[in-house]
């Protein structure tokens, strides 16, 4: 479904079958997809069957004691909404539903504020909505308060103080909700409710959307006061476009034709763009975009060619199966077997791609604190649990306190720690560390080695480093190109690497690689 038309409507009672037919008929004429209905007058024990021809999926919230409230959310039969969570008010004042439509998560929140203390009630309900919402959130209903009296009332007055209205407006802004109708009609004075007692119009019905999804709204309209004492409001919401992160298809580099095309493209790019007036960083960053476009083009061509080949093989297999069923010739069976093997090899290409992506994911997240690592470590917990330990005298300890004491004694002896001794001062600790390091036979970097390490990188060294890196595990989208085309990549990459060869912070980090007070810096 590419777009939705969401309607919010205070229907002032839906217990009458004739009125339900009129309301749903009007919504169908407006082509509404999602209905936010307030003041349905439904009790919890007496929800009617609202399986109208167009709106087949319903969620209700009603009161146990009174039928003066009630809110409902209805969805069109063509809206493939899959419910994942739901929250209802015991008084029938609000209902919140969360689910998926296609690949996206939506949260629909329908409110019907009371006639008294509505600002305090709305602020409390907004806290619940913020904790419940997920994905594209649409909040609407009858707020029973005009947020901007100058524009939302015909009298330009409000029974609420300006301070209270500002606090509610600030609460909505901090909750990242945007009034869609007011966004499309910033200076328009139009109203959804007429009060016979006061003889004035007010805009009490609203539809809000989360701020980050406001660009999905194309327009917002307001209906007429006909079947109820409120007018319906509508918002057009289109489905967000799905964006996926591009990944280098390393299988392209296993095809000789594709690899030669990429090599020729790299040669052409660097021969045209490598000039004295252009920064090496600019050339390097632009080449990533260029080679990505080449990979997408070649990948689309290979995918199309593979699909055609699969279709031809399946048609050929169907013909050979019919022929073999009738003749049972050995030659036909042999050709059928070859076609089946060829088809399996083509279908295994997708499996190999998924397996390669899994390897990349394991390599990228293997040393990070994430759910992926948590699930892997959970399986190793029992295997790594130390349930017994042999002491220096040869006896086995099974008690956890004894095992902990053995570990403590081992590391005290290893690092020559004083058991139950006084706390060591920082200067004393540093001198002890230096004494310990001085006793170790650590290698020292000679003057010649230091000069060699600080010399600029050469193309030959860069090619050797690239060829020594593991294929299929290098991070970044450009890593596969580096590993497979070191001869083409190294010349433009060398000036970039040489920029950092004399960078002082990197040189200082080399001091911690082999730490010795008397060693020379390298």
């Amino acid at each position: 479904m590419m777009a939705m038309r969401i309607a919010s409507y205070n229907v002032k009672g839906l217990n009458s079958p004739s009125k339900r037919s009129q309301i749903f008929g009007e919504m169908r004429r407006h082509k509404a997809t999602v209905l936010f209905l307030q003041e349905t007058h439904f009790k919890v024990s007496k929800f009617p069957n609202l399986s109208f021809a167009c709106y087949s999926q319903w969620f209700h919230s009603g009161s146990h004691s009174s039928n003066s409230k009630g809110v409902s959310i209805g969805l069109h039969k063509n809206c493939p909404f899959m419910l994942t969570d739901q929250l209802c008010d015991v008084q029938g004042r609000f209902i919140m539903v969360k689910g998926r439509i296609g690949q996206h998560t939506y949260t629909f929140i329908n409110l019907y504020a009371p006639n008294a203390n509505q600002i305090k009630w709305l602020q409390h309900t907004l806290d619940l909505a913020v904790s419940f919402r997920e994905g594209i959130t649409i909040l609407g209903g009858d707020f029973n308060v005009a947020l901007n009296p100058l524009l939302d009332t015909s009298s330009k007055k409000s029974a609420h103080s300006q301070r209270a209205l500002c606090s509610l407006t600030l609460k909505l802004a901090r909750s990242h909700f945007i009034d869609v109708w007011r966004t499309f009609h910033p200076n328009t004075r139009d109203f959804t409710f007429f009060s016979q007692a006061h003889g004035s119009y007010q805009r009490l019905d609203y539809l809000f959307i989360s701020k980050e999804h406001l660009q999905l709204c194309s327009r917002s309209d307001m209906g007429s006061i006909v079947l109820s004492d409120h007018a319906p409001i509508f918002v057009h919401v289109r489905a967000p476009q799905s964006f996926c992160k591009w990944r280098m298809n390393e299988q392209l580099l296993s095809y000789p034709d594709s690899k030669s095309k990429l090599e020729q493209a790299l040669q052409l790019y660097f021969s045209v763009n490598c000039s004295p007036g252009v920064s090496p960083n600019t050339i390097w960053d632009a080449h990533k975009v260029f080679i990505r476009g080449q990979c997408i083009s070649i990948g689309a061509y290979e995918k199309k060619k593979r699909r055609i080949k699969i279709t031809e093989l399946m048609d050929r297999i169907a013909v050979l199966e019919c022929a073999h069923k009738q003749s049972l010739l050995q030659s036909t069976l042999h050709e059928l077997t070859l076609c089946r093997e060829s088809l399996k090899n083509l279908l295994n290409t997708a499996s190999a791609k998924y397996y390669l992506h899994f390897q990349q994911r394991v390599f990228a997240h293997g040393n990070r604190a994430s759910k992926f690592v948590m699930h892997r470590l959970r399986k190793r917990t029992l295997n790594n649990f130390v349930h017994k330990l042999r002491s220096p005298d040869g006896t086995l300890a099974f008690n956890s306190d004894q095992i902990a004491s053995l570990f403590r004694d081992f590391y005290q002896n290893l690092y020559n720690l004083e058991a139950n001794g006084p706390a060591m001062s920082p200067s004393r600790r540093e001198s002890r560390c230096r004494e310990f390091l001085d006793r170790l036979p650590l290698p020292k970097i000679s003057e010649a080695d230091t000069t060699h390490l600080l010399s600029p990188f050469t193309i030959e060294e860069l090619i050797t480093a690239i060829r020594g890196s593991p294929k299929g595990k290098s991070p970044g989208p450009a890593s596969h190109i580096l590993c497979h085309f070191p001869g083409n990549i190294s010349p433009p990459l060398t000036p970039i690497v040489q920029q950092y060869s004399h960078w002082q912070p990197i040189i200082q980090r080399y001091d911690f690689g082999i730490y010795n007070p008397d060693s020379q810096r390298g």
Side-chain angles (χ1 to χ4, degrees):
M1 184 176 59
M2 296 304 297
M4 293 187 299
R5 185 174 170 89
I6 300 172
S8 177
Y9 200 0
N10 185 320
V11 294
K12 200 178 180 180
L14 273 184
N15 287 311
S16 173
S18 60
K19 188 172 183 179
R20 287 201 296 265
S21 178
Q22 294 172 1
I23 293 291
F24 295 153
E26 183 182 3
M27 294 296 99
R28 183 177 60 180
R29 285 191 295 272
H30 284 286
K31 298 181 180 180
T33 309
V34 181
L35 305 182
F36 286 10
L37 304 182
Q38 304 89 39
E39 206 174 346
T40 58
H41 295 176
F42 294 155
K43 285 187 177 180
V44 173
S45 58
K46 295 182 180 180
F47 287 138
N49 184 12
L50 298 183
S51 297
F52 194 66
C54 290
Y55 303 100
S56 56
Q57 192 173 8
W58 287 93
F59 306 96
H60 305 284
S61 176
S63 174
H64 291 272
S65 58
S66 173
N67 61 353
S68 61
K69 311 176 191 67
V71 290
S72 299
I73 295 179
L75 295 106
H76 197 274
K77 62 180 182 180
N78 295 332
C79 181
F81 182 79
M82 302 295 294
L83 180 68
T84 58
D85 198 2
Q86 181 177 349
L87 179 63
C88 298
D89 181 32
V90 294
Q91 298 296 327
R93 288 290 183 183
F94 68 78
I95 182 172
M96 307 179 189
V97 295
K98 185 193 311 180
R100 297 187 64 83
I101 301 178
Q103 299 179 353
H104 306 285
T105 301
Y106 288 81
T107 301
F108 300 124
I109 303 173
N110 188 11
L111 309 180
Y112 176 46
N115 294 325
N117 297 324
Q118 51 265 59
I119 292 182
K120 184 177 180 181
W121 182 90
L122 285 169
Q123 290 177 340
H124 173 69
T125 309
L126 281 174
D127 292 334
L128 297 177
V130 170
S131 61
F132 180 82
R133 69 180 178 184
E134 180 183 354
I136 304 172
T137 305
I138 300 169
L139 180 146
D142 182 1
F143 281 32
N144 263 321
V145 60
L147 298 178
N148 187 350
L150 296 178
L151 293 176
D152 295 335
T153 63
S154 60
S155 62
K156 299 184 180 181
K157 298 179 181 179
S158 176
H160 304 277
S161 64
Q162 186 65 26
R163 182 177 181 180
L165 293 175
C166 288
S167 65
L168 178 57
T169 305
L170 183 62
K171 183 72 174 180
L172 288 165
R174 289 179 175 175
S175 303
H176 303 287
F177 284 117
I178 300 294
D179 184 357
V180 183
W181 189 89
R182 181 56 67 194
T183 301
F184 285 94
H185 309 275
N187 300 316
T188 304
R189 299 181 72 243
D190 204 351
F191 317 103
T192 62
F193 173 73
F194 177 72
S195 175
Q196 295 284 352
H198 299 89
S200 63
Y201 284 94
Q202 300 179 74
R203 189 169 75 96
L204 306 180
D205 303 88
Y206 299 88
L207 276 173
F208 291 83
I209 194 170
S210 45
K211 182 189 298 184
E212 61 271 20
H213 300 115
L214 180 62
Q215 71 275 8
L216 301 179
C217 300
S218 57
R219 76 173 192 267
S220 181
D221 309 315
M222 186 180 297
S224 302
I225 303 175
V226 179
L227 301 177
S228 175
D229 56 354
H230 286 252
I233 55 174
F234 304 94
V235 169
H236 293 257
V237 180
R238 67 178 186 274
Q241 297 181 357
S242 299
F243 297 97
C244 59
K245 186 177 180 181
W246 181 81
R247 289 183 177 182
M248 173 67 188
N249 185 8
E250 196 177 4
Q251 289 182 331
L252 296 178
L253 302 175
S254 61
Y255 305 143
D257 296 341
S258 302
K259 189 173 182 179
S260 62
K261 290 179 182 178
L262 289 175
E263 187 173 7
Q264 293 174 5
L266 285 172
Q267 292 176 355
L268 177 63
Y269 172 83
F270 288 118
S271 63
V272 172
N273 295 280
C274 286
S275 57
V278 184
S279 170
N281 291 320
T282 303
I283 296 175
W284 180 256
D285 291 337
H287 113 274
K288 298 178 183 179
V289 181
F290 172 77
I291 204 63
R292 178 178 297 185
Q294 296 293 321
C295 291
I296 293 174
S297 176
I298 296 173
Y301 170 75
E302 293 292 340
K303 184 178 181 180
K304 182 179 179 180
K305 187 170 67 174
R306 184 171 63 254
R307 284 182 176 178
I308 294 175
K309 185 65 175 177
I310 290 174
T311 303
E312 292 177 351
L313 284 173
M314 293 186 71
D315 294 341
R316 182 59 181 168
I317 288 173
V319 173
L320 291 174
E321 282 182 347
C322 293
H324 185 259
K325 290 175 184 178
Q326 296 177 0
S327 63
L328 297 178
L329 293 176
Q330 191 67 25
S331 58
T332 307
L333 179 61
H334 179 69
E335 185 178 358
L336 180 61
T337 304
L338 293 179
C339 290
R340 287 172 176 169
E341 291 294 330
S342 301
L343 181 60
K344 288 180 181 179
N345 294 333
L346 288 175
L347 297 177
N348 285 336
T349 305
S351 302
K353 180 180 178 180
Y354 296 144
Y355 178 70
L356 180 62
H357 286 173
F358 176 75
Q359 285 185 318
Q360 294 172 350
R361 181 168 174 261
V362 171
F363 181 75
H365 299 277
N367 58 349
R368 296 181 182 178
S370 60
K371 291 184 178 180
F372 182 80
V373 177
M374 181 188 68
H375 290 304
R376 298 186 66 189
L377 293 178
R378 186 179 296 171
K379 298 178 180 179
R380 303 181 183 179
T381 303
L382 295 177
N383 296 331
N384 295 338
F385 181 75
V386 179
H387 63 282
K388 62 181 179 179
L389 191 66
R390 188 178 298 276
S391 61
D393 57 3
T395 60
L396 289 176
F398 296 92
N399 186 274
S400 58
D401 295 335
Q402 296 177 353
I403 294 175
S405 300
L406 290 175
F407 274 115
R408 184 190 62 238
D409 297 340
F410 173 78
Y411 284 107
Q412 283 181 351
N413 296 330
L414 178 65
Y415 295 110
N416 195 19
L417 300 177
E418 299 177 2
N420 300 323
M424 192 179 299
S425 63
S427 59
R428 175 59 178 166
R429 186 183 299 109
E430 183 179 357
S431 62
R432 291 284 300 273
C433 291
R434 287 185 177 275
E435 292 174 2
F436 173 76
L437 292 174
D438 289 339
R439 293 195 301 267
L440 297 179
L442 297 176
K444 297 181 180 181
I445 300 177
S446 63
E447 189 70 28
D449 293 337
T450 303
T451 304
H452 178 68
L453 287 173
L454 296 178
S455 62
F457 293 101
T458 62
I459 296 179
E460 291 75 13
E461 292 175 338
L462 198 57
I463 292 177
T464 303
I466 292 173
R467 287 177 175 172
S469 61
K471 295 183 180 180
K473 292 185 176 181
S474 302
S479 59
H480 303 289
I481 304 298
L482 282 171
C483 296
H484 288 83
F485 304 104
N488 302 93
I489 296 295
S490 298
L493 183 60
T494 303
I496 301 175
V497 177
Q498 289 177 351
Q499 292 180 1
Y500 303 100
S501 60
H502 297 287
W503 193 35
Q504 190 65 22
I506 290 183
I507 302 303
Q508 290 177 355
R509 291 180 186 179
Y510 293 154
D511 298 344
F512 299 96
I514 304 176
Y515 181 82
N516 191 293
D518 299 329
S519 65
Q520 301 177 12
R521 194 179 71 176

